[in-house]
């Protein structure tokens, strides 16, 4: 791996995370300017459109996306990924943005890696390292500062924001854990494309999008296209491409750019007011996630060794 390739990978991963942050701000703008717009409708349109684009892209690239349905385990995993991974990570995130704002929703969502760490501790019996424990304490303090603003007897943000943000953080964990067994064989384009399409169609069965009467202006349509193309398809492709140049742990460190981008653009274009407690708490959470990401490869290496030992 050359230095040039490494730099390219870092730029692609960081740019992808910035675009994800911008998509949250674009969604917040839509909710502000169109009160009749719901997180459900926006998620349906985003998922179905992006899913179809990725699957067509996969067909053009010769990935044969329909092969995944030839194997029962892979098919069920793709369905589970869509319903239990992508729906909470996208629908619940948009709900948190709708009832709150993009910076706070994004900061709460990136707590997902700690839920993964807790999962490995409870079900895989992987004891957290010292740096992980320190990161958890930092993330807890950061979350406490955002939620209470230093007043432990009251909440500074609505419990509804905390509820939807917490579900989106759980979605980050399930979104990461569920498809890991089929990604190496079928590829990210196929797995994510089907996951998005399945999730979008399932939500449409629950609440048909054509029954929602909306008036979308041309600027709002532009924001919707930004969310689909620049906030979903483009960052996914960029992040997936970056993994060929840098390690996953390095790429995950770029997640810090997502809440930073959401914060900067929200303050600049939406005049969102954040307190010093929000900034300090967000910084603690970002540093904690970065510390956890640096140690993730050790945990995965341990799991591979343990799996190889048990199968021998």
């Amino acid at each position: 791996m050359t230095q040039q390739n490494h730099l390219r990978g870092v730029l692609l991963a960081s740019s992808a995370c910035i675009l994800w942050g911008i998509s949250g701000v674009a969604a917040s703008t839509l909710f502000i300017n169109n009160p009749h717009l719901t997180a459900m409708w926006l998620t349906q349109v985003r998922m179905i459109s992006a899913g179809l684009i990725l699957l067509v892209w996969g067909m053009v690239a010769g990935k044969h996306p329909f092969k995944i349905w030839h194997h029962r385990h892979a098919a069920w995993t793709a369905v589970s990924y869509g319903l239990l991974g992508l729906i909470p990570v996208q629908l619940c995130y948009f709900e948190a943005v709708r009832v709150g704002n993009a910076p706070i929703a994004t900061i709460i969502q990136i707590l997902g890696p700690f839920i993964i760490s807790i999962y490995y501790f409870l079900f895989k019996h992987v004891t957290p390292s010292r740096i992980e424990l320190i990161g958890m304490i930092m993330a807890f303090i950061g979350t406490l500062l955002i939620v209470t603003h230093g007043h432990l007897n009251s909440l500074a943000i609505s419990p509804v924001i905390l509820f939807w943000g917490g579900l989106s953080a759980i979605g980050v964990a399930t979104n990461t854990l569920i498809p890991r067994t089929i990604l190496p064989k079928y590829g990210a384009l196929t797995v994510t494309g089907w996951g998005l399409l399945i999730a979008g169609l399932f939500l449409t069965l629950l609440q048909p999008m054509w029954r929602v009467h909306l008036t979308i202006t041309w600027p709002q349509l532009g924001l919707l296209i930004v969310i689909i193309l620049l906030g979903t398809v483009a960052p996914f492709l960029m992040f997936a491409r970056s993994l060929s140049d840098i390690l996953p742990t390095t790429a995950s460190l770029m997640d810090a750019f997502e809440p930073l981008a959401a914060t900067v653009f929200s303050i600049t274009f939406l005049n969102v007011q954040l307190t010093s407690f929000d900034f300090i708490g967000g910084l603690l959470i970002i540093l904690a996630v970065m510390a956890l990401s640096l140690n993730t490869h050790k945990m995965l290496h341990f799991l591979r060794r343990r799996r190889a030992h048990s199968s021998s």
Side-chain angles (χ1 to χ4, degrees):
M1 183 186 301
T2 66
Q3 184 175 356
Q4 184 178 0
N5 289 347
H6 182 82
L7 177 61
R8 180 179 60 189
V10 169
L11 289 175
L12 284 171
S14 57
S15 298
C17 292
I18 290 173
L19 289 176
W20 276 318
I22 291 175
S23 73
V25 180
S28 184
T29 306
L30 280 175
F31 292 133
I32 292 172
N33 294 328
N34 195 332
H36 299 289
L37 184 70
T38 64
M40 173 70 83
W41 186 89
L42 182 57
T43 304
Q44 291 168 337
V45 173
R46 179 192 195 187
M47 285 181 161
I48 293 175
S49 302
L52 288 173
I53 291 172
L54 290 175
L55 289 174
V56 171
W57 193 296
M59 292 176 64
V60 172
K63 302 298 182 181
H64 306 290
F66 287 95
K67 280 188 175 181
I68 196 171
W69 300 108
H70 297 168
H71 302 88
R72 183 178 299 177
H73 169 72
W76 277 112
T77 302
V79 172
S80 300
Y81 171 52
L83 302 185
L84 303 178
L86 289 170
I87 287 180
V89 83
Q90 296 201 22
L91 175 61
C92 296
Y93 172 71
F94 277 158
E95 284 286 3
V97 171
R98 185 183 65 84
V99 299
N101 58 62
I104 298 300
T106 307
I107 289 171
I108 296 176
Q109 186 186 57
I110 66 169
L111 290 170
F114 292 97
I115 297 175
I116 296 175
S117 185
I118 293 171
Y119 165 81
Y120 276 118
F121 173 71
L122 293 177
F123 298 101
K124 301 295 184 179
H125 308 295
V126 178
T127 304
S129 65
R130 181 179 302 175
I131 189 66
E132 288 174 315
L133 290 174
I134 293 174
M136 289 180 183
I137 294 172
M138 290 173 60
F140 175 77
I141 295 173
T143 305
L144 200 64
L145 286 175
I146 292 174
V147 171
T148 67
H149 284 183
H151 302 286
L152 299 180
N153 59 342
S154 63
L155 293 178
I157 64 173
S158 168
V160 179
I161 302 175
L162 195 58
F163 172 76
W164 289 115
L167 287 182
S168 70
I170 294 174
V172 170
T174 54
N175 181 66
T176 303
L177 294 171
I178 292 175
R180 70 191 190 281
T181 58
I182 61 174
L183 278 171
K185 182 175 181 179
Y186 297 98
L189 270 175
T190 295
V191 175
T192 305
W194 281 117
L196 285 168
L197 185 59
I198 290 167
L201 293 176
F202 176 78
L203 293 179
T204 301
L205 289 176
L206 294 180
Q207 183 178 314
M209 67 173 70
W210 53 86
R211 292 183 181 176
V212 179
H213 301 289
L214 286 173
T215 300
I216 302 293
T217 64
W218 285 108
Q220 291 170 8
L221 180 60
L223 287 173
L224 186 60
I225 293 173
V226 166
I227 292 172
I228 295 171
L229 297 181
L230 296 183
T232 309
V233 176
F236 161 75
L237 295 173
M238 293 165 67
F239 198 85
R241 177 64 181 84
S242 72
L243 295 178
S244 63
D245 294 324
I246 57 177
L247 295 173
T249 49
T250 305
S252 63
L253 290 176
M254 302 301 107
D255 286 345
F257 283 97
E258 186 174 349
L260 289 176
T263 300
V264 170
F265 282 91
S266 292
I267 293 174
T268 304
F269 296 104
L270 299 180
N271 199 28
V272 171
Q273 302 296 320
L274 298 178
T275 69
S276 58
F277 289 104
D278 295 323
F279 283 111
I280 296 172
L283 180 61
L284 284 174
I285 292 173
I286 291 171
L287 292 175
V289 172
M290 292 176 69
L292 180 65
S293 299
L294 285 171
N295 207 53
T296 301
H297 70 286
K298 295 182 180 179
M299 179 175 66
L300 295 177
H301 179 66
F302 173 82
L303 287 174
R304 293 191 192 100
R305 288 182 57 188
R306 181 171 179 172
R307 190 179 300 114
H309 178 74
S310 60
S311 60
S312 61

